[in-house]
Amino acid sequence: MGKKKPRPRRSFTREFKAEIVELCQRGDRSVGQVAKDFDLTETAVRDWIRQAEVDTGRRDGLTSSERDELAALRRENRRLREDVDILKRATAFFAKETR
């Protein structure tokens, strides 16, 4: 028996995720069956359901918009730290040159 090839990472639209969550919440099919029918991992579907519950206020946690904002702020913070590091090195270089 050979090893299973890892599944390539896929991305899905918010609309697709919302449709999958709606199918699961209707109760016609189990989460596992919906995941199997759409060739998704059960874990991913359960995560989408959990996030939908947070977004609608039925569960505590960061909403999708808060997660997006947090990611953007972290990116900006990383970029600003890099800028400060470059400026520190430039300052040290020019201080050394003027002596």
Side-chain angles (χ1 to χ4, degrees), residues 41-57:
T41 64
E42 194 170 331
T43 303
V45 174
R46 289 189 189 284
D47 287 345
W48 297 348
I49 293 169
R50 190 175 308 111
Q51 188 61 51
E53 290 172 350
V54 169
D55 290 346
T56 58

Side-chain angles (χ1 to χ4, degrees), residues 27-66:
D28 301 343
R29 296 183 272 181
S30 68
V31 172
Q33 187 60 49
V34 171
K36 186 176 179 182
D37 291 348
F38 287 88
D39 190 31
L40 303 166
T41 64
E42 194 170 331
T43 303
V45 174
R46 289 189 189 284
D47 287 345
W48 297 348
I49 293 169
R50 190 175 308 111
Q51 188 61 51
E53 290 172 350
V54 169
D55 290 346
T56 58
R58 289 184 278 162
R59 184 186 283 245
D60 287 337
L62 291 177
T63 64
S64 295
S65 61
E66 290 170 333

Side-chain angles (χ1 to χ4, degrees), residues 6 11 17 22 24-25 42 46 54-55 61 65 68 93 99:
S11 61
K17 291 177 183 180
E22 186 180 331
C24 293
Q25 290 176 339
E42 194 170 331
R46 289 189 189 284
V54 169
D55 290 346
S65 61
D68 293 344
F93 174 78
R99 288 186 190 160

